[in-house]
Amino acid sequence: MAAGKQQQTRPWCPFCGMDVGRPSETVQRTMKEFPAGRCQCGAVYVSDATGHNIGAAMVECLVFACGDEWDLAWELIPEDDYLTGIVEDYDDVTHQICPKRNLDGRAVRGILYFVRLHKEVAEIAARFAKKKEQEAKAAAAQGGNAVMPELEPVRDPKRQKRQANKLLVKQLVEAGDINALVDLSFDDKRTLRFLQKLLYQPAPEQRYKTAWLIGQITARLSTREPAPVADMLHRLFEACSDSASMPWGMVEAIGSIVAARTDIYGAFTRHLLNFMGDEGTREAALHGLVEIAATRPDLVRSTPFYSLFPLLDHDSARVRGLTVRLLGRVKAKEVIFQIMALQNDQTEITVYERGEPSKTTVAALVTEAVVHIQLV
């Protein structure tokens, strides 16, 4: 071998030793942050060209292995449920391993991160995938029309990036400038934390507006970087479980994020039911379920939604109205007569559409719900 030459090899699977193909952006995946691939032995892998994003790569690879079932991925335990492996010194340009970490004067710092589920967990993931396909077909049959947002264009790496701060984010939220907030979120991930802080306000009009904006922003951000959005969801759930503070806006934001990207975060739907027992979060949870049911009624029907039936007799008119609206959207024929019993309830309530308040009555929502339920 000539002096100065380094031996380059094709990347291999750390589990079976077989050569693996070049990672790519596959059409079926809902997560797009890292190119991914599959080995013949069943392992999956993602490529991080910089080697600096291993945490995000770990999350995406595990979720990819679980068929984009976030709930399943979060419940798995390393070694007990799956194994991991890393192949370092990977050059994504030539699809080679470069031990000297330099190729023609270009630094090579990439990694391939691997996950292989144990047989029992892999079978569960396969069943989840089959169930998801069946639910998607059922959603289409029920009139579901969820649309995945278009892939965000790659931002020019040479552009002047902006740094987020509380005042800037507040100004953009007040102006309703979604495009600027999406750009800022790509530039500085602290934007999501500043947005979360803006939720904590007593006026419901401001909370619902901010929550809706967060849903729109994270929907677009998640087309390329879903992991920060998933992290935000977990922070919101943690904030809701903090008994020392009022979770103003947190449940509203969870509902907006899930509703805007049911294809990725739909598994969080069932967790909204946990907020039904608290008067401070019940209406926000119902609103979130209503938003999700607008495009994916199957996600709500797959939960113990029958536990909501007694809310049709709740003392609060808004709780009755939101429950009627939700049950209409999921075509709950099981309680159509209980819903119709409210057709003379002329109590005026406020509901929110795209973050904006709208006046209506329980009776008007009953009429709307009956139409949904009776549609063939």
Side-chain angles (χ1 to χ4, degrees):
M1 182 181 297
K5 278 282 188 179
Q6 62 171 307
Q7 185 175 2
Q8 299 167 20
T9 59
R10 288 180 58 82
W12 63 90
C13 173
F15 301 114
C16 69
M18 294 289 290
D19 289 350
V20 295
R22 183 188 293 274
S24 62
E25 296 285 0
T26 57
V27 174
Q28 292 82 3
R29 295 173 61 222
T30 56
M31 302 178 68
K32 299 286 186 181
E33 193 166 352
F34 302 96
R38 292 183 180 273
C39 178
Q40 293 180 358
C41 73
V44 301
Y45 53 96
V46 299
S47 167
D48 173 18
T50 66
H52 296 314
N53 302 308
I54 188 169
M58 290 169 60
V59 170
E60 177 156 345
C61 193
L62 181 57
V63 175
F64 180 35
C66 294
D68 290 335
E69 285 291 337
W70 287 83
D71 268 7
L72 175 61
W74 295 136
E75 293 174 3
L76 299 185
I77 300 173
E79 296 187 2
D80 288 352
D81 297 315
Y82 64 92
L83 300 175
T84 63
I86 294 179
V87 174
E88 299 179 317
D89 307 331
Y90 173 67
D91 178 41
D92 65 322
V93 177
T94 62
H95 189 53
Q96 299 283 346
I97 302 300
C98 304
K100 292 187 177 181
R101 311 190 77 187
N102 186 286
L103 184 62
D104 299 329
R106 176 170 51 82
V108 175
R109 299 288 187 270
I111 63 165
L112 290 176
Y113 188 85
F114 288 76
V115 167
R116 188 170 73 176
L117 302 177
H118 291 331
K119 181 179 178 181
E120 297 81 3
V121 181
E123 291 173 350
I124 293 173
R127 288 200 295 272
F128 268 120
K130 185 175 181 180
K131 181 181 178 182
K132 181 181 288 187
E133 182 180 351
Q134 293 172 342
E135 289 175 344
K137 291 180 179 178
Q142 292 187 42
N145 56 352
V147 177
M148 192 172 75
E150 294 182 4
L151 181 65
E152 280 290 306
V154 177
R155 269 50 180 180
D156 184 356
K158 297 180 180 179
R159 78 189 190 287
Q160 183 67 39
K161 292 186 178 181
R162 303 175 74 183
Q163 289 189 339
N165 60 65
K166 184 177 180 180
L167 179 59
L168 174 60
V169 173
K170 183 179 180 181
Q171 290 174 339
L172 293 175
V173 167
E174 290 175 347
D177 195 337
I178 295 175
N179 290 332
L181 284 164
V182 171
D183 287 337
L184 192 61
S185 297
F186 277 110
D187 288 347
D188 189 342
K189 298 303 179 290
R190 293 180 303 166
T191 303
L192 298 183
R193 291 188 178 272
F194 290 127
L195 285 168
Q196 181 174 336
K197 290 179 180 179
L198 289 178
L199 289 165
Y200 194 77
Q201 44 195 320
E205 293 81 4
Q206 294 176 330
R207 292 202 307 269
Y208 278 98
K209 182 64 174 181
T210 302
W212 181 78
L213 285 170
I214 288 175
Q216 302 307 298
I217 294 160
T218 54
R220 290 172 56 181
L221 176 65
S222 62
T223 61
R224 286 200 175 272
E225 300 184 15
V229 181
D231 290 341
M232 184 180 193
L233 276 170
H234 283 278
R235 290 199 307 272
L236 290 168
F237 276 111
E238 289 173 4
C240 291
S241 63
D242 185 358
S243 59
S245 63
M246 175 65 74
W248 277 334
M250 305 300 163
V251 178
E252 292 91 326
I254 291 171
S256 294
I257 292 171
V258 175
R261 287 306 303 269
T262 52
D263 57 314
I264 298 182
Y265 308 114
F268 287 96
T269 300
R270 64 186 179 88
H271 296 301
L272 286 172
L273 292 179
N274 296 335
F275 302 112
M276 290 298 176
D278 189 332
E279 290 184 7
T281 56
R282 184 180 294 124
E283 291 182 9
L286 281 169
H287 170 80
L289 291 170
V290 167
E291 293 297 290
I292 293 167
T295 57
R296 288 293 305 275
D298 59 300
L299 291 176
V300 179
R301 289 197 68 94
S302 66
T303 71
F305 78 104
Y306 49 81
S307 64
L308 305 177
F309 294 174
L311 295 180
L312 291 169
D313 297 320
H314 198 275
D315 292 338
S316 166
R318 187 155 190 267
V319 170
R320 295 197 302 273
L322 287 172
T323 304
V324 164
R325 199 177 202 195
L326 173 62
L327 296 177
R329 288 188 174 183
V330 300
K331 299 183 183 297
K333 294 181 179 180
E334 303 93 329
V335 286
I336 187 170
F337 294 114
Q338 291 94 315
I339 292 173
M340 292 177 68
L342 297 172
Q343 60 188 343
N344 294 321
D345 188 341
Q346 297 296 332
T347 310
E348 188 175 83
I349 63 173
T350 300
V351 295
Y352 290 87
E353 296 281 1
R354 297 175 65 83
E356 298 294 339
S358 174
K359 296 290 185 180
T360 186
T361 63
V362 175
L365 294 175
V366 168
T367 301
E368 176 187 303
V370 171
V371 170
H372 275 295
I373 293 173
Q374 293 181 337
L375 281 175
V376 178

